[in-house]
Amino acid sequence: MRQIKPVVSERLPELLRRMPKAELHMHIEGSLEPELMFALAARNGLTVPYPDVAALRRAYVFNNLQEFLDVYHAGTLVLRTEQDFYDMCWAYLVRAAADHVLHTEIFFDTQTHTSHGLSADVVINGLHRACADAQEQLGISASLILCFLRHLSEHEAFEALEQALPYRDKLVGIGLASSELGHPPEKFAKVFARARALDFRLVAHAGEEGPPAYIWSALDVLKVERIDHGVQALRDPALVTRLAFERIPLTVCPLSNLKLKVFPTLAQHNLGRMLQAGLVATVNSDDPAYFGGYINENYTQTFAALGLTAQHAYQLAHNSFAASFIDASAKQAFQDRLVEVFETFE
Ligand code: HPA
Ligand code: ZN
């Protein structure tokens, strides 16, 4: 890895904000800010069960993943039209571009919305149109990853996959999200095999709250290329050796881990130890509207809490491009821009 010249600690937040980066773990439904939620509810003749934005924000206190998922699911009820999905995705892309995100791979699911009576095309077309407009108008590159909901059955995941196939060209990959404990990756062995046969890139949430065994089976049974979260890997030295040796990226989300009480404080987060162990870790926002920050807040707060340096910043941003599903020449171009910012930063 390139040696980066030291940056004084007062200047580090500015470098973190300004450095080019990719975001690889962000659920678009988790970017729905309370203000937009109320606006969409009004547009669709619906009500939000809170008196105002401030009251809704005050409800964003969680003890674990499931408590969050229940609130997050309630928030998706305001999404009814293709334009709603467009507006939500556009708002995120404007925010990401302001944070110097050059490329983003956006998670979404269709099962939440089809269970509310929408069809998959409304979801996918709205999100895709926002991504296309953002490339043109904001210069940010964006692709879409369809996540299956693991608390539902594999049969239902197969249905979601079949419904998405007419839009195959608008999707880069398949992921696995929602309640982790009790729903191990191997529950989805067959549907991931089918997705692999269809040439989708594969990722899965594993080792957020779940044990290292779930990371092993995401790799060995689902054959995913990246692990989402993966922070529990450090409990298993043999797994750490494998992840480092095979250079399997981990999309870490520090503020999410803090809000969902995976770690009691940010100072106890293991991101620094992951890098120390040679893991290909990245920093991401997960559900920024709910967890108190977009990607730059994840970087600045975590660096302050852990005392990480400009060298770590370069490593993490470099990893984010390396771990992305863009072609080799685009990766190189983004990494060249990264080097340029580090070399010219005063
Ligand atoms: N974990 C699992 N499922 C999710 C998450 C998460 O952090 N965010 C949105 N869906
Ligand atoms: Zn997630």
Side-chain angles (χ1 to χ4, degrees):
M1 185 56 50
R2 174 181 292 268
Q3 278 304 304
I4 297 301
K5 62 177 190 279
V7 170
V8 293
S9 59
E10 307 83 77
R11 293 288 291 147
L12 189 54
E14 179 60 17
L15 176 62
L16 291 166
R17 284 191 279 268
R18 218 191 295 158
M19 71 180 181
K21 53 186 74 76
E23 177 149 64
L24 306 176
H25 183 164
M26 199 292 304
H27 304 260
I28 199 65
E29 297 91 344
S31 75
L32 182 58
E33 292 287 348
E35 290 79 1
L36 185 56
M37 198 186 293
F38 274 90
L40 296 182
R43 190 159 91 185
N44 292 324
L46 302 166
T47 51
V48 177
Y50 290 89
D52 54 36
V53 163
L56 179 53
R57 266 191 216 286
R58 277 196 298 277
Y60 292 173
V61 177
F62 315 107
N63 289 302
N64 53 45
L65 174 60
Q66 192 59 51
E67 286 187 15
F68 157 69
L69 288 170
D70 294 342
V71 172
Y72 164 91
H73 183 256
T76 65
L77 286 165
V78 302
L79 297 161
R80 302 299 308 167
T81 68
E82 185 187 312
Q83 191 62 37
D84 297 341
F85 287 90
Y86 178 96
D87 291 344
M88 172 173 65
C89 193
W90 178 258
Y92 162 70
L93 289 162
V94 167
R95 196 65 189 65
D99 278 1
H100 297 269
V101 172
L102 304 187
H103 172 72
T104 175
E105 296 178 3
I106 298 173
F107 290 150
F108 73 104
D109 79 81
T110 51
Q111 288 166 290
T112 299
H113 312 293
T114 55
S115 79
H116 300 161
L118 277 62
S119 71
D121 68 296
V122 165
V123 180
I124 298 174
N125 287 336
L127 299 178
H128 180 261
R129 190 158 55 83
C131 292
D133 285 357
Q135 176 73 72
E136 207 171 282
Q137 295 172 40
L138 306 172
I140 182 172
S141 133
S143 43
L144 296 171
I145 296 178
L146 170 65
C147 287
F148 300 137
L149 298 183
R150 68 202 301 161
H151 67 280
L152 301 177
S153 68
E154 185 178 49
H155 175 73
E156 288 163 293
F158 264 110
E159 285 179 349
L161 181 59
E162 291 305 319
Q163 288 162 8
L165 284 188
Y167 315 97
R168 172 70 188 85
D169 61 326
K170 297 184 167 123
L171 308 174
V172 68
I174 293 290
L176 186 63
S178 185
S179 322
E180 186 181 12
L181 289 169
H183 303 285
E186 54 272 27
K187 177 176 164 187
F188 297 91
K190 293 192 189 73
V191 72
F192 267 68
R194 169 93 173 114
R196 196 164 73 254
L198 291 164
D199 268 343
F200 282 102
R201 309 300 296 262
L202 302 179
V203 300
H205 284 54
E208 178 184 14
E209 291 182 337
Y214 285 18
I215 302 176
W216 285 104
S217 61
L219 297 173
D220 291 333
V221 181
L222 303 188
K223 304 199 186 303
V224 302
E225 302 168 71
R226 293 196 303 244
I227 297 290
D228 296 312
H229 293 294
V231 292
Q232 303 299 336
L234 291 199
R235 290 161 47 193
D236 181 342
L239 177 58
V240 171
T241 301
R242 178 186 181 178
L243 292 167
F245 183 73
E246 294 184 15
R247 302 198 59 70
I248 309 279
L250 305 171
T251 62
V252 178
C253 306
L255 289 178
S256 165
N257 295 155
L258 179 68
K259 295 289 176 189
L260 301 187
K261 302 203 168 27
V262 173
F263 296 94
T265 67
L266 264 191
Q268 285 159 283
H269 197 284
N270 63 11
L271 179 66
R273 277 178 279 142
M274 292 175 116
L275 293 174
Q276 187 66 36
L279 297 179
V280 184
T282 65
V283 168
N284 308 272
S285 68
D286 207 6
D287 299 281
Y290 291 91
F291 297 151
Y294 286 77
I295 191 166
N296 281 358
E297 281 294 319
N298 274 271
Y299 271 106
T300 54
Q301 291 192 32
T302 308
F303 271 59
L306 296 179
L308 300 179
T309 65
Q311 183 70 46
H312 295 114
Y314 178 81
Q315 176 83 61
L316 287 162
H318 190 276
N319 289 350
S320 73
F321 294 119
S324 72
F325 294 147
I326 52 181
D327 66 36
S329 68
K331 271 184 199 180
Q332 190 60 53
F334 288 145
Q335 288 168 342
D336 289 347
R337 287 173 67 179
L338 177 65
V339 169
E340 193 190 324
V341 167
F342 273 77
E343 283 184 347
T344 57
F345 187 79
E346 294 295 337

